[in-house]
Amino acid sequence: MLLFQQPTTDDLAPCSYLPNRQKQFQYFLGTNVSAEEISWLLARGWRKFGIYYFRPVCPTCRACIPLRVQVADFKPSKSQRRILKKNSMIGIRFVPRKYSERAFEIYQDHSINRFSEPKKKETFKASFYRPSCPGLQSEYYLNGEMIALGFLDQGEDGLSSVYFVFDTSYSELGLGTFSILKEIEYAKKQGVAYYYLGYYIEACGSMAYKDRFKPREHYDWFKDQWNLAG
């Protein structure tokens, strides 16, 4: 691992997910992170975009819970099986990360229509195509056109979902859930133990989908251990 900046803590700022709370992150900038090292970081609650690695250290809150799915024992629920059947016509590729104009079009469309936040191409490239650890992207095709893509980090014992975007013209397909199911399936084929889904906040409705994949584990910040979730 090559560090451009030693781990430090940023200033308090308003939380984007919970009202009347403040957030604070520990972070560092790094590259040449190995598969073994990214697994170690993920197992201790770290996440990343590009070379920016971070984890919450909010002084009065530990609501952001790292979540991971136990790949070998995962079985889709009845509703998830319906999503798989509904999207059986979609082709999927897992390939090395490679920038394309279509990828940015999807990201921009998703950012504007889901969050009302247009993005710059340079920010997109820096967040997802600046190499820092082993990774790949998942691509989803309908009638020969890419309609969604996900960015994944590859650890020694796990696959981590960094971000997923889709063309909002296809919102009715449930592509977010579909992508998780197919990426778990890919992780199982790769023989890794875990699929990381990032942070889960119970009080945040937009994150409720993350808690629907079983069996899963939640990270206990205080005990520095993973526990099977109910």
Side-chain angles (χ1 to χ4, degrees):
M1 181 189 305
L2 174 63
L3 296 185
F4 297 119
Q5 178 181 348
Q6 293 295 323
T8 188
T9 302
D10 64 9
D11 296 328
L12 286 168
C15 179
S16 304
Y17 297 103
L18 298 175
N20 304 316
R21 298 200 193 184
Q22 291 186 305
K23 66 178 181 179
Q24 191 169 42
F25 288 103
Q26 183 182 24
Y27 70 94
F28 67 88
L29 305 179
T31 189
N32 293 341
V33 177
S34 68
E36 182 180 6
E37 288 169 332
I38 191 64
S39 283
W40 188 92
L41 291 165
L42 289 167
R44 285 154 182 83
W46 289 86
R47 304 290 295 168
K48 62 172 280 292
F49 285 104
I51 64 171
Y52 174 73
Y53 290 74
F54 63 95
R55 64 177 177 178
V57 290
C58 310
T60 61
C61 178
R62 284 292 183 271
C64 292
I65 305 299
L67 184 154
R68 67 187 185 187
V69 177
Q70 295 178 334
V71 169
D73 298 324
F74 173 76
K75 293 182 180 180
S77 66
K78 185 176 180 180
S79 62
Q80 290 166 352
R81 291 196 298 272
R82 287 198 295 266
I83 289 287
L84 288 170
K85 184 177 181 180
K86 181 178 182 179
N87 291 297
S88 59
M89 71 292 192
I90 293 178
I92 303 146
R93 298 172 58 203
F94 289 88
V95 296
R97 292 186 186 180
K98 184 178 180 180
Y99 173 82
S100 69
E101 288 297 315
R102 178 55 182 159
F104 178 67
E105 287 176 3
I106 295 172
Y107 177 71
Q108 184 73 289
D109 170 79
H110 189 268
S111 297
I112 292 172
N113 290 301
R114 298 278 290 188
F115 307 110
S116 301
E117 294 180 1
K119 300 291 186 178
K120 294 181 179 180
K121 189 177 295 184
E122 293 75 16
T123 302
F124 175 61
K125 290 181 177 179
S127 295
F128 304 111
Y129 291 101
R130 191 171 181 180
S132 63
C133 77
L136 71 159
Q137 65 189 42
S138 56
E139 300 177 346
Y140 302 80
Y141 290 86
L142 183 61
N143 298 324
E145 180 183 37
M146 186 164 66
I147 62 170
L149 74 159
F151 301 96
L152 300 152
D153 289 334
Q154 291 177 296
E156 189 176 50
D157 63 352
L159 192 67
S160 174
S161 173
V162 178
Y163 204 65
F164 176 78
V165 292
F166 59 88
D167 184 328
T168 56
S169 300
Y170 300 94
S171 296
E172 77 284 354
L173 296 179
L175 292 172
T177 296
F178 180 68
S179 71
I180 294 171
L181 295 170
K182 300 308 289 187
E183 288 170 3
I184 291 174
E185 181 181 299
Y186 177 81
K188 184 176 291 188
K189 290 179 180 177
Q190 298 303 304
V192 298
Y194 305 111
Y195 174 76
Y196 288 85
L197 258 173
Y199 299 129
Y200 166 69
I201 302 175
E202 186 176 7
C204 183
S206 63
M207 293 188 181
Y209 73 93
K210 292 188 178 185
D211 217 33
R212 297 172 185 158
F213 300 87
K214 302 177 181 180
R216 63 188 182 276
E217 296 178 350
H218 291 182
Y219 182 66
D220 187 324
W221 291 107
F222 300 103
K223 296 182 179 179
D224 186 25
Q225 67 182 30
W226 290 87
N227 300 311
L228 191 63

